[in-house]
Amino acid sequence: MTQVKVFSYRSDGVLGYLKIFLLHKIKTKLALNPSFFHSSHQEPVLAAALAASCQFQIRAATPPDLTSVAQIIAESFHSQSGLLGWLFPLLRLGIYEDLRHRLASPAPHQVCLVAVDTTADAASSLVGTVELGMRFSDSWMQVGRSCPYLSNLAVHPQYRRQGAASGLLIACEKVALSWGFQDLYLHVLENNHQARHLYFKLGYQVHKVESHLNTFFLRRSRQILLHKRLNVNLTI
């Protein structure tokens, strides 16, 4: 299994983290809505779709998981060394609040999955995560419709190249099919060769290479929109 260190994190950047953090401090603290994680309309399809996905247990995230999820995402997308290392706790908190607000929404087609190592010595530790939701963009498909979109795929460094990322991706395919969709999209950076290799190995194809002004002026890597047509015969 090819090692995948960094995928793509969906957020508004540091300013987005700060905005969410300040809003959280100003507003009255609300209990995390458990109906998202255990709603009656999601339990049957998730239980069936996620059963025996890989060597790790793949399941929907629960409220107590969010701290570990935020830590894994922060470690995957942000450095803890150098001049910006002191920002890491704030970035992690911003990711937590971003995730908490997004997953507490009542959207029916939105889920955060986690991979859990259930071996005896691991003590059921959370090792990876991914989000699956709906995203709309005319520029993607030339038609006005929304499609399932993968984001925030991250795996703990100690568990890379062991099948956790593949298991999470395959689980997302099953969930998307259970929702009644046959297309799945995600973004990957052009220079992230390890991630691209994993996606291509699982059947994703290039749908569009996206270029922006900051790609040229800031010398940032271009984003590639990948697409996979799901097999309706995939066991759900």
Side-chain angles (χ1 to χ4, degrees):
M1 182 64 65
T2 302
Q3 180 177 0
V4 182
K5 180 179 181 181
V6 177
F7 298 86
S8 58
Y9 177 64
R10 191 183 87 187
S11 74
D12 298 322
V14 176
L15 292 178
Y17 299 158
L18 293 174
K19 179 179 66 176
I20 294 172
F21 175 71
L22 292 175
L23 286 175
H24 176 66
K25 290 298 183 182
I26 294 173
K27 294 181 180 180
T28 301
K29 291 185 178 180
L30 299 176
L32 184 60
N33 181 6
S35 64
F36 171 82
F37 303 98
H38 302 291
S39 58
S40 58
H41 69 274
Q42 290 196 28
E43 280 184 347
V45 296
L46 285 176
L50 303 182
S53 294
C54 66
Q55 61 179 325
F56 300 100
Q57 178 192 3
I58 309 295
R59 59 170 174 77
T62 60
D65 294 326
L66 293 187
T67 298
S68 296
V69 170
Q71 178 68 27
I72 290 176
I73 293 176
E75 290 180 348
S76 296
F77 303 110
H78 301 287
S79 173
Q80 299 184 59
S81 60
L83 295 177
L84 296 179
W86 63 275
L87 273 177
F88 184 83
L90 181 60
L91 293 171
R92 181 179 56 202
L93 178 59
I95 292 172
Y96 175 90
E97 290 301 321
D98 187 16
L99 186 67
R100 188 182 74 86
H101 281 271
R102 185 159 61 249
L103 298 190
S105 70
H109 294 149
Q110 182 171 297
V111 68
C112 175
L113 303 180
V114 293
V116 179
D117 185 352
T118 57
T119 58
D121 56 343
S124 300
S125 60
L126 194 153
V127 304
T129 183
V130 67
E131 285 186 66
L132 178 64
M134 303 300 294
R135 189 159 175 176
F136 178 90
S137 176
D138 288 329
S139 63
W140 289 6
M141 299 156 281
Q142 307 301 321
V143 293
R145 64 189 179 95
S146 57
C147 284
Y149 179 81
L150 282 166
S151 62
N152 297 350
L153 175 60
V155 176
H156 190 282
Q158 295 181 0
Y159 287 89
R160 291 168 187 160
R161 303 184 67 179
Q162 297 182 35
S166 297
L168 286 164
L169 290 170
I170 293 172
C172 285
E173 294 181 19
K174 295 180 179 181
V175 173
L177 287 171
S178 73
W179 289 347
F181 297 96
Q182 290 183 246
D183 296 281
L184 199 53
Y185 292 85
L186 61 87
H187 277 99
V188 64
L189 292 177
E190 187 177 31
N191 64 357
N192 194 339
H193 302 291
Q194 294 175 335
R196 289 171 58 187
H197 177 79
L198 172 63
Y199 294 136
F200 293 154
K201 182 178 180 180
L202 292 179
Y204 286 86
Q205 298 180 340
V206 175
H207 182 77
K208 182 180 180 181
V209 178
E210 301 179 350
S211 298
H212 303 284
L213 291 178
N214 59 4
T215 301
F216 177 78
F217 291 107
L218 300 180
R219 297 183 180 181
R220 292 181 178 176
S221 180
R222 295 183 298 178
Q223 279 195 326
I224 301 176
L225 180 66
L226 301 182
H227 165 256
K228 182 174 182 178
R229 182 69 173 178
L230 303 180
N231 180 5
V232 294
N233 294 321
L234 183 67
T235 303
I236 301 179

